[in-house]
Amino acid sequence: MNQNPGIIGKKIGMTQIFTENGEVLRVTVIQAGCVVVGKRTLEKDGYSALILGLDDRKEKHTNKPLAGYYKATGVSPKRHLRELRCPPEHAAKFEVGSVLKVEDVFETGQYVDAQSRTRGRGFSGVIRRWSMAGSVGSHGTHEYFRHGGSIGTNMTPGRTLPGLKMPGHYGDETVTIHSQRLIKVIPEDQLILIEGGVPGPDGSFVVVRGAVKKAKKRWNVARAPEGKKKKG
Amino acid sequence: MQTSNVLAKLEAPMIRAAVPDFRVGDTIRVHYRIVEGEKERIQAFQGVVLKRHRAGVRSTFTVRKVSFSIGVERIFLLHSPRIDKIEIVSRGLVRRSRLFYLRKLSGKAARVRDAKEQ
């Protein structure tokens, strides 16, 4: 399980950044600014985690059990709530009710995983959903242009094998993009820039944590962009 | 599409301050830094602007020239630090925003009317 410290945030959009030697990096901008709503501790809960909240929501939209919880902790009701497992030392650094600052969690040069929900595409055919090639457009083909082809053999095994790629609901699923470079941390606006794309439309809810597969690895920060262009 | 305020603020410092107001159809000379190993030199690329893509820091423009009777097009990032400067050689008079029709033309037909003629 990923126990690396992380934040929850909102995808702002994508842009590009020039490195010092003029190369372009495509980055996704994520705005954090989440609040520590609560904690799980080893003594009480048997594990250690931070409960994070993002974006206020109206009190009338909060159900009573949750409202009671918010009242007890003294934090205004949040739209998004997420519990992130973390080492006890990390959890101890933050007070309930305080803003979890990006600069306290991340540093430029590390790798991160970004998790969010992809755009829903409804009921999709096999070409869109599984990138199948479809059929040829000529040579007598008719009514079979975007089909997936055969779904099995006749007598043996006499059934369609489970897991066969077929049309169906596509998208609106939680996807994690692993081991992306964290290009920059901007404390003023609580932004982080992650190289490459992150699933979902702009404004969607994103969980960003230290990469589970490259927890200790660092890329060469000497080549990190300073965010300003050279004198032109 | 409307860029979000957050993105606009982030992009602002990367946007080149002094971009000459060149348009599609103009002939321009782009001075581009080229790094060869250790050395850096500046190469000029002169041609007609076929297209301008205006998108904040991601803006680009396409320049076409005919070099030894071979058409060459380059897409430059407007705000790239590798661009040393952009010079306007002459203004052109064109009636469209994308001059892709020039690709099919050659010789005298491939000229763009000079704005000064009027």
Side-chain angles (χ1 to χ4, degrees):
Chain A
M1 189 190 289
N2 192 343
Q3 302 229 4
N4 298 324
I7 51 119
I8 59 180
K10 199 184 245 184
K11 174 173 167 182
I12 299 293
M14 290 193 72
T15 185
Q16 69 185 25
I17 270 193
F18 293 106
T19 62
E20 235 167 87
N21 58 2
E23 281 167 16
V24 164
L25 292 172
R26 289 88 175 166
V27 294
T28 304
V29 183
I30 289 169
Q31 188 163 44
C34 47
V35 175
V36 181
V37 178
K39 281 184 186 181
R40 303 275 184 230
T41 54
L42 279 175
E43 300 82 53
K44 200 172 164 222
D45 308 288
Y47 64 97
S48 150
L50 284 176
I51 306 168
L52 303 177
L54 184 74
D55 274 1
D56 283 337
R57 81 165 146 197
K58 285 183 182 167
E59 217 156 301
K60 66 174 179 182
H61 294 152
T62 314
N63 65 26
K64 280 182 181 161
L66 256 185
Y69 177 71
Y70 282 118
K71 211 175 164 191
T73 54
V75 180
S76 62
K78 299 294 171 201
R79 184 168 295 195
H80 304 287
L81 262 189
R82 187 59 67 92
E83 192 177 304
L84 297 184
R85 291 283 287 260
C86 63
E89 311 87 77
H90 179 72
K93 279 193 276 184
F94 303 101
E95 298 278 316
V96 170
S98 65
V99 174
L100 186 63
K101 298 221 169 73
V102 282
E103 63 268 30
D104 296 337
V105 181
F106 294 125
E107 56 172 14
T108 300
Q110 76 174 112
Y111 288 87
V112 292
D113 295 343
Q115 185 179 61
S116 63
R117 224 150 163 84
T118 60
R119 282 172 197 261
R121 290 155 176 97
F123 193 100
S124 304
V126 288
I127 292 185
R128 173 167 288 254
R129 192 178 182 211
W130 300 109
S131 303
M132 287 188 183
S135 302
V136 289
S138 62
H139 296 296
T141 309
H142 56 96
E143 293 88 44
Y144 209 78
F145 297 109
R146 295 179 66 90
H147 286 225
S150 164
I151 60 166
T153 46
N154 185 8
M155 277 292 280
T156 326
R159 60 190 168 89
T160 298
L161 297 170
L164 196 85
K165 288 172 180 173
M166 286 196 191
H169 187 268
Y170 179 43
D172 196 23
E173 55 191 338
T174 304
V175 170
T176 309
I177 304 292
H178 284 287
S179 307
Q180 296 292 79
R181 295 197 295 175
L182 184 66
I183 300 298
K184 208 175 171 196
V185 177
I186 304 170
E188 300 91 68
D189 296 320
Q190 290 293 304
L191 300 179
I192 53 174
L193 309 187
I194 301 174
E195 189 174 32
V198 166
D202 292 351
S204 53
F205 173 77
V206 185
V207 178
V208 185
R209 8 188 25 178
V212 70
K213 292 178 184 169
K214 285 189 178 177
K216 299 222 170 71
K217 263 199 171 168
R218 294 287 181 269
W219 51 276
N220 187 358
V221 190
R223 293 182 61 199
E226 29 170 76
K228 279 181 219 156
K229 71 181 177 70
K230 261 187 178 175
K231 257 175 109 183
Chain B
M1 202 178 75
Q2 189 84 35
T3 317
S4 81
N5 294 334
V6 182
L7 277 189
K9 190 182 163 194
L10 183 69
E11 289 176 355
M14 290 187 286
I15 285 183
R16 178 184 292 266
V19 178
D21 174 39
F22 65 91
R23 293 166 161 245
V24 170
D26 294 352
T27 302
I28 60 169
R29 194 199 302 255
V30 183
H31 296 261
Y32 196 73
R33 288 173 204 276
I34 290 181
V35 181
E36 288 170 330
E38 294 288 292
K39 273 186 255 170
E40 193 183 79
R41 66 188 178 88
I42 288 173
Q43 190 185 57
F45 188 92
Q46 181 173 338
V48 181
V49 181
L50 288 198
K51 171 184 175 176
R52 282 201 66 175
H53 171 63
R54 294 168 197 263
V57 75
R58 290 161 305 156
S59 303
T60 63
F61 58 97
T62 307
V63 183
R64 177 183 172 87
K65 74 168 177 181
V66 177
S67 172
F68 301 107
S69 77
I70 306 277
V72 180
E73 282 178 23
R74 275 194 80 165
I75 301 169
F76 293 99
L77 292 162
L78 185 63
H79 300 292
S80 166
R82 286 196 186 166
I83 291 181
D84 189 50
K85 65 175 172 180
I86 300 166
E87 252 179 89
I88 301 174
V89 178
S90 65
R91 297 280 188 182
L93 210 69
V94 289
R95 299 171 69 155
R96 60 218 57 234
S97 62
R98 308 278 138 126
L99 303 184
F100 299 141
Y101 67 88
L102 286 181
R103 289 171 180 163
K104 285 186 192 159
L105 306 178
S106 62
K108 282 191 171 183
R111 288 172 303 173
V112 170
R113 192 148 54 121
D114 200 311
K116 268 185 266 168
E117 282 173 22
Q118 299 306 302

